[in-house]
Amino acid sequence: MNNLIEKIKESLSSVLPITIIVVILHFVLTPMPTGLFMLFLTGAILLIVGMGLFTLGADISMMPMGERIGAELTKSRKLMALIIISFLMGFMITVAEPDLQVLARQVPSIADNVIIGAVAFGVGIFLVISLLRIVFQIKLSYVLLVFYAIIFVLAYFTPNDFVPVAFDSGGVTTGPITVPFIMALGLGVAAVRGGKSAHDDSFGLVALCSVGPVLSVLVLGLFYNTSGSYEEVVIAEVSNFRDIINIYMHEFPHFFKEVALALSPIVIAFIIFQFIFLKLPKTHLIKLSVGIIYTFLGLVVFLTGVNVGFLPAGNYIGHALAGLDYNWMLIPIGMVMGFFIVAAEPAVHVLNKQVEEVTGGAISKRAMLISLSLGVAVSIGIAMIRILTGISIWYFIVPGYAIALLLMFYVPQIFTGIAFDSGGVASGPMTATFMLPFAMGAADAVGGNILTDAFGLVAMVAMTPLITIQILGVVYKLKVGKFEKVEENITEDESNEIIDFEGGEQ
């Protein structure tokens, strides 16, 4: 119980800043209808409770399960088993990822099942590639360089309306269910594989699993007519507190089913591994079962709160701000929101914790969070500039990814893996269900093209951490270099003193 209270306190500190910002905007610049405002506040409470339950559950169950399955797959030394099982798990988890379903509903002219299937196939293939990279010790920077080159060649031939959607799909796919499990899977494989680069190899799976969906959706764009209208956000009519309760109670079963479908492949796979290979004692299984329940309930509560309370509020505020005479305020307000909204992404805390543990505290959770927050703030600012000016996303993603890929050759390898993982993790459910509707509302208010101007925000959020985290790596490398130099000087001085002393003795 103490652990749960501690996790809820952490989630309170994460969700409170963005809640306060929206409350201030409500009273100062963009007053929302009373019912919508109450939906938002109720959603904020659900976010706090849901994130607390989820993070505790991920610590107890998702991470240990992923590590054990990854380790067992590697120990078996059966390459075909590794390929088949990792593909199936990547595919099945992605099919039920809630963020992906939100995005699929917004894409015109392509059936939801088609785009979800294509994205899931991409994740499955690239999860296999990610694990094979660890097994065969292929450098992550080389793999990323090759596949991003392919992405930009494909994007050149894809209709412009569809490019932002493709890059967004890579961001939303790596959500709160896939990230903890995929990261732990990589950690388990890397630990068994061993070698000097084991720590470095434990990162990079999320990065490559974000590449697959982009490639899949770009290929779809070559064959489908992508013109059409997006699905507008519907704001529910609320007149009293009973209406609020009814709306949330109506949505709970929907997200209950979604999360159950998403978690079931992981649970089933673990049960199979338990009976055939692991044979863990009963006490371990009870602890894992409790963790799964925490994870399940946490995600149901979190996703209900964010979809019912935050999504319509984000759309309304974006529309209202863009409708002001001084709509340039979208840029600084969007940046402030972006800075604080990262802390409310459940998977961010999972990543930051793993980074601190794997690096032995050399990269702290605080340093990671600040770097991510700055990156996302910049990306949201750029997204707002695009909405107000209609500038093509090409002017940002080409130089942005060029800088990120160039930095790979100047930072320690572990920072490349962490940076590209961070891009996928930062663009989670809060981005998909608050910031993207915020951008859609703003684009609609200024008369922009929703597909080319609002879409692409998730892509920008996924891109900027690649640069900021690798810059953190450059700083880390310089600090370590200076420290080693000082140590060398001290050692030399001490050895000189010893020689002088011995000479004096003689």
Side-chain angles (χ1 to χ4, degrees):
M1 184 57 73
N2 288 337
N3 287 340
L4 179 57
I5 292 168
E6 190 62 35
K7 292 293 183 183
I8 288 175
K9 283 181 182 177
E10 287 178 13
S11 63
L12 175 65
S13 64
S14 300
V15 176
L16 201 57
I18 188 66
T19 306
I20 291 170
I21 291 167
V22 173
V23 170
I24 292 170
L25 287 173
H26 169 70
F27 286 110
V28 178
L29 282 177
T30 58
M32 291 182 276
T34 304
L36 179 58
F37 184 59
M38 293 306 295
L39 276 175
F40 172 79
L41 291 180
T42 310
I45 294 167
L46 293 179
L47 254 69
I48 292 164
V49 175
M51 191 189 297
L53 286 166
F54 169 80
T55 50
L56 179 60
D59 287 352
I60 296 173
S61 63
M62 298 288 280
M63 299 296 282
M65 284 164 62
E67 283 186 42
R68 284 189 166 95
I69 290 175
E72 198 57 49
L73 280 171
T74 314
K75 282 178 188 174
S76 69
R77 300 190 179 277
K78 293 177 181 176
L79 194 61
M80 192 51 66
L82 177 71
I83 291 170
I84 293 170
I85 293 170
S86 55
F87 173 79
L88 289 174
M89 295 203 69
F91 184 91
M92 290 188 292
I93 295 167
T94 307
V95 164
E97 182 62 57
D99 295 354
L100 177 58
Q101 302 199 24
V102 172
L103 183 75
R105 286 195 291 269
Q106 308 297 330
V107 180
S109 304
I110 300 180
D112 291 4
N113 290 340
V114 173
I115 198 164
I116 289 171
V119 169
F121 181 80
V123 173
I125 291 293
F126 274 80
L127 181 56
V128 173
I129 291 170
S130 303
L131 295 176
L132 292 179
R133 181 195 72 80
I134 296 173
V135 171
F136 293 109
Q137 298 283 279
I138 302 168
K139 204 169 181 182
L140 177 64
S141 54
Y142 297 156
V143 180
L144 288 170
L145 205 58
V146 169
F147 283 113
Y148 273 104
I150 296 170
I151 281 175
F152 281 103
V153 170
L154 264 178
Y156 180 79
F157 295 101
T158 304
N160 282 333
D161 283 2
F162 211 60
V163 171
V165 176
F167 277 93
D168 279 0
S169 69
V172 302
T173 307
T174 45
I177 293 172
T178 54
V179 166
F181 184 77
I182 285 175
M183 286 178 62
L185 197 68
L187 199 63
V189 173
V192 174
R193 176 65 180 77
K196 293 180 180 179
S197 62
H199 278 184
D200 298 354
D201 288 338
S202 62
F203 296 100
L205 266 80
V206 175
L208 285 171
C209 287
S210 299
V211 170
V214 181
L215 283 171
S216 298
V217 178
L218 284 172
V219 171
L220 279 184
L222 295 174
F223 298 100
Y224 278 83
N225 173 20
T226 54
S227 60
S229 59
Y230 79 105
E231 181 182 304
E232 292 188 18
V233 176
V234 178
I235 298 174
E237 292 291 329
V238 178
S239 56
N240 53 51
F241 189 69
R242 183 183 292 175
D243 288 342
I244 293 172
I245 299 297
N246 288 338
I247 289 168
Y248 276 105
M249 291 308 293
H250 180 265
E251 293 297 327
F252 265 120
H254 170 69
F255 292 105
F256 191 95
K257 182 181 175 183
E258 277 195 356
V259 176
L261 284 170
L263 283 177
S264 56
I266 298 171
V267 175
I268 291 167
F270 184 79
I271 290 170
I272 292 169
F273 271 77
Q274 165 63 15
F275 277 110
I276 298 174
F277 301 110
L278 300 174
K279 304 188 188 305
L280 297 174
K282 191 176 178 181
T283 51
H284 283 207
L285 293 178
I286 292 171
K287 187 178 179 181
L288 288 171
S289 300
V290 171
I292 291 166
I293 293 168
Y294 279 142
T295 304
F296 175 76
L297 292 176
L299 271 177
V300 172
V301 172
F302 178 89
L303 290 170
T304 306
V306 79
N307 278 276
V308 178
F310 274 58
L311 190 150
N315 185 268
Y316 186 92
I317 293 169
H319 198 283
L321 281 173
L324 298 173
D325 292 335
Y326 40 94
N327 59 12
W328 56 268
M329 289 286 288
L330 272 172
I331 301 168
I333 289 172
M335 290 182 74
V336 172
M337 284 181 172
F339 184 88
F340 288 106
I341 210 161
V342 178
E345 292 286 7
V348 164
H349 297 280
V350 177
L351 174 70
N352 291 353
K353 183 174 182 290
Q354 187 182 342
V355 169
E356 188 170 69
E357 287 175 357
V358 169
T359 61
I363 309 165
S364 68
K365 288 190 285 187
R366 180 177 171 79
M368 276 291 296
L369 189 59
I370 290 172
S371 300
L372 276 174
S373 297
L374 288 171
V376 174
V378 171
S379 65
I380 299 294
I382 293 170
M384 295 304 108
I385 291 170
R386 287 187 59 240
I387 287 169
L388 294 175
T389 61
I391 298 174
S392 170
I393 194 172
W394 280 105
Y395 292 104
F396 298 103
I397 58 170
V398 172
Y401 275 101
I403 292 167
L405 294 170
L406 188 65
L407 280 169
M408 293 192 304
F409 299 99
Y410 296 95
V411 300
Q413 187 178 330
I414 192 169
F415 277 92
T416 297
I418 292 169
F420 279 81
D421 280 358
S422 300
V425 170
S427 50
M430 285 297 291
T431 305
T433 56
F434 185 79
M435 293 311 304
L436 185 56
F438 177 85
M440 287 178 172
D444 188 42
V446 299
N449 184 326
I450 303 292
L451 281 173
T452 58
D453 299 343
F455 279 96
L457 178 141
V458 179
M460 298 303 303
V461 169
M463 183 188 74
T464 46
L466 313 186
I467 299 171
T468 55
I469 299 296
Q470 288 193 100
I471 289 171
L472 178 67
V474 173
V475 173
Y476 171 80
K477 188 177 180 181
L478 291 172
K479 279 186 176 180
V480 169
K482 285 180 182 177
F483 177 73
E484 286 175 352
K485 196 171 182 181
V486 168
E487 273 198 329
E488 280 177 19
N489 290 337
I490 290 170
T491 307
E492 283 178 13
D493 291 343
E494 286 176 347
S495 63
N496 288 336
E497 285 173 12
I498 291 167
I499 291 166
D500 290 343
F501 179 78
E502 287 174 347
E505 281 281 307
Q506 289 173 351

